[in-house]
Amino acid sequence: TGEEREQTGGRDVRRSQEQHRGNGREPIADQFGGDVDLRARLSEQLTRGLTECMVCLERVRQVQATWDCHNCYQVFHIGCIRKWAKTATTESGGWRCPGCQAVTATLPRDYRCFCRKVRNPEWNRNEGLVPHSCGEVCQRPRAWVGCVHRCVELCHAGPCPPCTATVEVECPCGKERRRGRCGEQVRCGQECGRELGCGVHSCEAACHEGECGQCEEVIQIGCYCGENTKTVPCSKTASPSYSCSSPCPRPLACGHHPCTSSCHPGECLPCSLTVESVTHCPCGKSQLDLLYSRDSVPPRDSCLAPVPLCGLTCGKSLPCGPPSSPHTCPTPCHSGPCPPCPLSTSVRCRCGHMDQEMVCTLLTTRADDARCGKRCQKKRSCGRHKCGELCCIQVEHICTLLCGRLLSCNLHRCEELCHRGNCHSCPMVSFDELSCHCGSAVTFPPVPCGTRPPECVELCRKEHQCGHKVTHNCHSEATCPPCTQLTTKLCYGGHEQRRNVACLVEGISCGKPCGADLPCGRHPCPRPCHPGPCTANTCTQPCSVYRPCGHPCSTPCHPGQCPDTPCATQIKISCSCGHRQAGVPCSENAYSRVTTALLATRMQDVQSGNSVNLAELAKRDRKLECNEDCMKIDRNYRLAAALQISNPELTSKVIPRYSEFMKDWVRRDATFCTMVHTKLADLIKLAKDSKQKSRAFSFPCMNRDKRQLVHEYADHFGCESESYDSEPKRNVVVTALRDRSHLPSVSLVECVAKQKKAPPPVQASSTAAPKPTFTPLERGGSEPKIDWFG
């Protein structure tokens, strides 16, 4: 359809252009038809206004200013291609075409026709011309190899048609000529025979286009001294010999001394010790003729004869000493090199750190070029590295290291010199299209390095293991977001199924005990529902086997028989009236003596033939003795019965015995103690007025000491108390029983206040009449007097 042709027009153009460029632009039969189709298609699209600009992706209208690439023949808006050229620059200063990436040196400035002869061409629909064409003869040079004729068609879009002229065609090697179509390539098939670059040998390949290859022949040349040889490529201008830099092995012309020069061309230099060459003594101060006559020495007759010495001071300049006045040799005239200087030189390094006198024999450089061993500790221009140069004299310490930090693309590293601040953005640019995973969203080149794939609004097309409906968009990450579909899943231990669990949740725990059998075979796993196997190596739960006393073993789980250990189970015992209660271990033997005596009596009955119930004996032993409070309560009960008082408060006047721990709390925080008393009193009143047997109250979370105070205070109210939850959310719940709970006669705060206000001592008087003494009926005369009916 027409719409499909509009959408695929740009791609067809590009595909045809790639085919056109891939064949080296040689006019072969298949390509002629492709070029014709490309020109016709471009002309039709331009005439109908269906060509698409690859920069803005908008259609190119017939009257809009354009620019076309002569390499891929794609048409762009002139404004779009100008903006593109400013961003897609290359290192050489050119810019890349959006269609074919061909580099163009100059920026597009004017709107011109296809053949570039007319500026701002006008288009008239009735003239039958293609838009953006000037209507004149194209005259562009053809791009075919060897063609010298210009295009003779009217100004057109796309590639020029192949040349149809008939000319005399010559093969590349020049050995064969014939008539043929312009641009046709002819090859005779014979040996090329052209001279190679070496200038010595000729090309042996078959007739070919372009330059011949390099000469593969090599030649072997020797050095000047004849000791070494080497192989060099064949060349007409190659040197026949070279210097191997080794000492010359040839003797001098004198025949007594060897040559001291390195491998060299030509003859060796003459001997420097010949009679003609030596005219002065070694120090150069006296002529040999004068020394011959003065010392009556026979003249030298060969280079082996010693040179006479004048006896004066040598005086040759030595390398040590100040540069303006170097030291001189102090020894008498001598042959050979001068001995070491015995003096010292004042040396100052260039940075000024070293300024000292140094023995000349230790000098390795001139005195004005000495270097100290101090390393520069100043920061370089980058602010990261230290200079570290020895004897540094630089003013600006330029860092010469490469930066090497990772750029923002996280792929390349900064290749500039080490610098301050942040690195520049990555200069790498991709000229390939960057698309999302499904290919719906595309970012067109140039694409800066590190650019993320474009956002796509299509649904993700990757495979998902769960098989649920995909609800997230296409993404560039390797893994998809977790699935949030609500499902029904079984807990780890298989206890129950939970609904509305997100698919991304791999496992759930129902919170119930695991219940799986442990390796001991006696206990189930006590951990909450958990994944994987129960990892307890040794079971530490209490043994549940019952002892003879009726309580469980309670020792850590063990194989075989239970160990013979005392039973630590707490049991409650009370007095005969039930007023006193206490908890003691089952194995407590406080009544062993009484038990032994009673058991002996029962054994006598057994010997007499009577039956004995030992269980009753055990129960009888587990009792507390009644104290004075029990007797007071019993007396009050009997008095109330005699006076016909219903529901009497038997213990209202019994002064409670508060512990020192509780009294200390009053001194520390009387407000808290008052609050506890008020809450417990309100609870007792609520229980007395209620039809229920008991009422409970939960105190807020508190620490251990406060909980202990609440527990002890609840005992004085006749209430039951129990702690729940774990730290730090542990709290106390107090339960008041309607029949047993009561209010203490004196609160904790009042009791402590009375102790603080002790009465003053009474002055003893000798005249005072003696008071009568009464004997109390109760045991323990030290008890305070109680007004039972006050």
Side-chain angles (χ1 to χ4, degrees):
T1 61
E3 184 177 357
E4 292 177 350
R5 285 196 302 272
E6 293 175 12
Q7 296 177 354
T8 60
R11 298 190 182 94
D12 294 341
V13 170
R14 188 186 304 178
R15 184 161 52 249
S16 300
Q17 293 157 2
E18 291 175 354
Q19 295 174 357
H20 174 71
R21 293 194 304 273
N23 294 322
R25 295 183 181 175
E26 296 183 1
I28 58 178
D30 294 341
Q31 191 172 349
F32 294 162
D35 290 344
V36 173
D37 293 343
L38 176 60
R39 288 194 301 272
R41 188 182 306 112
L42 285 174
S43 299
E44 180 183 1
Q45 292 177 353
L46 290 172
T47 304
R48 299 175 58 187
L50 301 179
T51 305
E52 185 181 84
C53 175
M54 294 183 63
V55 179
C56 65
L57 303 182
E58 297 291 340
R59 293 182 179 179
V60 180
R61 302 300 179 184
Q62 296 89 336
V63 295
Q64 291 177 330
T66 61
W67 180 88
D68 62 301
C69 176
H70 280 185
N71 185 58
C72 63
Y73 309 107
Q74 186 67 34
V75 181
F76 308 90
H77 293 114
I78 186 67
C80 296
I81 201 64
R82 286 175 181 173
K83 294 179 181 179
W84 176 275
K86 293 179 181 179
T87 58
T89 56
T90 61
E91 296 180 356
S92 59
W95 58 279
R96 295 180 182 272
C97 171
C100 60
Q101 305 300 320
V103 178
T104 304
T106 59
L107 296 176
R109 299 181 180 277
D110 303 324
Y111 166 43
R112 292 181 177 272
C113 63
F114 297 114
C115 64
R116 301 291 192 270
K117 289 187 294 186
V118 178
R119 181 185 299 177
N120 299 326
E122 295 182 359
W123 177 70
N124 190 349
R125 185 184 300 271
N126 299 325
E127 292 181 356
L129 297 177
V130 178
H132 319 294
S133 172
C134 62
E136 299 180 4
V137 178
C138 178
Q139 290 294 318
R140 282 188 293 175
R142 302 180 189 273
W144 313 112
V145 178
C147 180
V148 296
H149 305 96
R150 294 180 177 272
C151 180
V152 295
E153 291 194 0
L154 298 182
C155 181
H156 60 87
C160 295
C163 184
T164 58
T166 302
V167 294
E168 187 174 350
V169 183
E170 184 181 14
C171 70
C173 66
K175 295 180 180 179
E176 182 178 343
R177 289 175 175 268
R178 67 181 182 184
R179 301 288 296 179
R181 191 167 53 190
C182 180
E184 183 181 359
Q185 298 295 325
V186 178
R187 291 180 176 83
C188 61
Q190 302 179 18
E191 182 178 326
C192 177
R194 288 183 290 181
E195 188 180 64
L196 297 177
C198 64
V200 178
H201 304 92
S202 59
C203 179
E204 297 179 355
C207 181
H208 60 87
E209 187 69 27
E211 298 292 335
C212 299
Q214 297 292 332
C215 180
E216 298 180 357
E217 299 291 335
V218 294
I219 58 177
Q220 193 171 19
I221 59 176
C223 66
Y224 295 114
C225 63
E227 295 292 330
N228 300 305
T229 59
K230 70 176 181 179
T231 301
V232 296
C234 175
S235 176
K236 194 173 186 179
T237 60
S239 176
S241 299
Y242 73 101
S243 175
C244 64
S245 301
S246 300
C248 181
R250 292 176 291 183
L252 298 179
C254 65
H256 301 294
H257 299 96
C259 180
T260 57
S261 302
S262 59
C263 181
H264 58 86
E267 297 295 333
C268 297
L269 298 175
C271 180
S272 60
L273 296 177
T274 57
V275 178
E276 294 79 10
S277 301
V278 181
T279 59
H280 290 75
C281 65
C283 67
K285 296 181 179 179
S286 301
Q287 294 184 359
L288 293 183
D289 295 339
L290 299 178
L291 295 179
Y292 293 154
S293 60
R294 187 191 71 178
D295 298 336
S296 300
V297 177
R300 298 176 67 244
D301 55 354
S302 69
C303 62
L304 298 177
V307 179
L309 306 177
C310 65
L312 301 177
T313 303
C314 178
K316 291 181 181 179
S317 297
L318 299 177
C320 56
S324 58
S325 57
H327 295 164
T328 57
C329 180
T331 58
C333 181
H334 58 87
S335 300
C338 296
C341 180
L343 303 178
S344 61
T345 304
S346 178
V347 178
R348 179 180 176 85
C349 68
R350 60 180 187 174
C351 72
H353 177 70
M354 182 180 66
D355 189 0
Q356 60 183 1
E357 289 286 335
M358 184 177 293
V359 180
C360 293
T361 55
L362 299 179
L363 284 177
T364 57
T365 60
R366 295 190 313 171
D368 59 345
D369 195 28
R371 307 290 176 90
C372 66
K374 180 184 176 182
R375 290 191 178 274
C376 180
Q377 299 297 323
K378 293 183 179 180
K379 289 284 188 180
R380 294 185 178 180
S381 58
C382 63
R384 296 169 55 193
H385 306 105
K386 292 184 178 180
C387 178
E389 184 179 349
L390 296 177
C391 196
C392 178
I393 58 173
Q394 297 180 9
V395 178
E396 295 181 0
H397 302 266
I398 305 299
C399 186
T400 57
L401 301 176
L402 288 179
C403 177
R405 286 183 288 188
L406 200 63
L407 298 177
S408 57
C409 63
N410 293 327
L411 297 175
H412 305 97
R413 295 188 177 273
C414 181
E415 298 180 356
E416 298 181 0
L417 293 179
C418 195
H419 55 84
R420 293 179 180 269
N422 297 329
C423 299
H424 297 290
S425 58
C426 183
M428 301 296 177
V429 177
S430 174
F431 292 96
D432 297 329
E433 294 181 352
L434 179 63
S435 62
C436 64
H437 183 267
C438 65
S440 299
V442 180
T443 300
F444 294 95
V447 180
C449 182
T451 303
R452 294 179 58 84
E455 295 291 337
C456 180
V457 297
E458 300 291 334
L459 290 179
C460 179
R461 301 178 184 176
K462 296 182 180 179
E463 294 184 0
H464 299 78
Q465 297 180 354
C466 62
H468 294 135
K469 182 180 179 181
V470 179
T471 58
H472 58 271
N473 293 344
C474 177
H475 55 87
S476 58
E477 289 77 11
T479 58
C480 292
C483 179
T484 58
Q485 181 75 25
L486 297 181
T487 60
T488 301
K489 291 193 175 184
L490 195 66
C491 67
Y492 292 119
H495 306 121
E496 63 180 23
Q497 285 187 343
R498 292 290 181 91
R499 298 180 179 179
N500 297 331
V501 179
C503 179
L504 59 95
V505 180
E506 297 182 358
I508 57 174
S509 173
C510 63
K512 298 180 180 180
C514 175
D517 292 336
L518 293 179
C520 67
R522 296 182 178 181
H523 301 98
C525 178
R527 295 171 55 194
C529 183
H530 60 87
C534 303
T535 57
N537 296 328
T538 58
C539 180
T540 58
Q541 300 184 49
C543 179
S544 58
V545 178
Y546 286 95
R547 297 172 180 266
C549 62
H551 299 126
C553 176
S554 299
T555 57
C557 185
H558 55 81
Q561 297 293 331
C562 294
D564 188 10
T565 57
C567 181
T569 305
Q570 293 285 332
I571 60 174
K572 284 188 177 183
I573 58 175
S574 61
C575 62
S576 300
C577 67
H579 175 67
R580 295 184 61 197
Q581 290 185 353
V584 295
C586 179
S587 60
E588 182 67 35
N589 199 17
Y591 307 95
S592 59
R593 290 176 294 177
V594 179
T595 304
T596 304
L598 294 175
L599 183 60
T601 305
R602 296 294 185 269
M603 292 301 296
Q604 293 178 0
D605 295 339
V606 172
Q607 293 176 0
S608 301
N610 300 326
S611 61
V612 178
N613 189 355
L614 297 180
E616 295 180 358
L617 178 63
K619 293 180 181 179
R620 184 179 302 171
D621 295 340
R622 297 291 177 167
K623 286 187 178 181
L624 297 176
E625 294 182 359
C626 291
N627 58 6
E628 297 175 359
D629 292 340
C630 297
M631 298 175 63
K632 292 177 182 179
I633 293 174
D634 181 62
R635 185 182 65 180
N636 293 342
Y637 178 77
R638 286 187 279 107
L639 289 174
L643 297 175
Q644 297 182 357
I645 300 175
S646 61
N647 193 17
E649 186 63 42
L650 303 178
T651 60
S652 59
K653 295 301 181 180
V654 177
I655 299 177
R657 295 179 180 179
Y658 297 111
S659 63
E660 293 298 328
F661 171 78
M662 300 178 68
K663 294 177 182 179
D664 289 340
W665 259 105
V666 176
R667 301 183 186 96
R668 290 163 54 188
D669 192 351
T671 305
F672 177 72
C673 297
T674 304
M675 184 272 294
V676 174
H677 181 87
T678 304
K679 296 294 184 182
L680 292 176
D682 295 341
L683 180 63
I684 296 297
K685 183 178 179 181
L686 184 61
K688 294 292 184 181
D689 298 339
S690 176
K691 295 181 180 180
Q692 301 177 2
K693 294 183 179 181
S694 63
R695 297 299 294 265
F697 175 76
S698 176
F699 282 87
C701 302
M702 55 185 67
N703 57 30
R704 181 182 299 175
D705 293 342
K706 290 185 178 181
R707 294 198 304 270
Q708 182 179 350
L709 175 65
V710 175
H711 285 303
E712 294 187 12
Y713 217 160
D715 290 340
H716 288 283
F717 279 81
C719 299
E720 298 178 356
S721 60
E722 188 72 24
S723 296
Y724 294 94
D725 295 337
S726 58
E727 299 288 355
K729 301 293 184 180
R730 196 167 180 82
N731 67 321
V732 180
V733 178
V734 179
T735 304
L737 303 175
R738 184 179 61 183
D739 298 334
R740 293 180 51 188
S741 302
H742 56 84
L743 294 174
S745 59
V746 180
S747 68
L748 176 61
V749 177
E750 293 174 352
C751 181
V752 175
K754 289 181 179 180
Q755 291 181 358
K756 291 181 179 180
K757 299 179 181 179
V762 179
Q763 298 292 334
S765 176
S766 60
T767 60
K771 296 182 179 180
T773 302
F774 300 96
T775 302
L777 298 177
E778 302 87 5
R779 291 183 296 176
S782 61
E783 293 293 335
K785 186 177 180 181
I786 301 174
D787 185 5
W788 299 101
F789 303 100

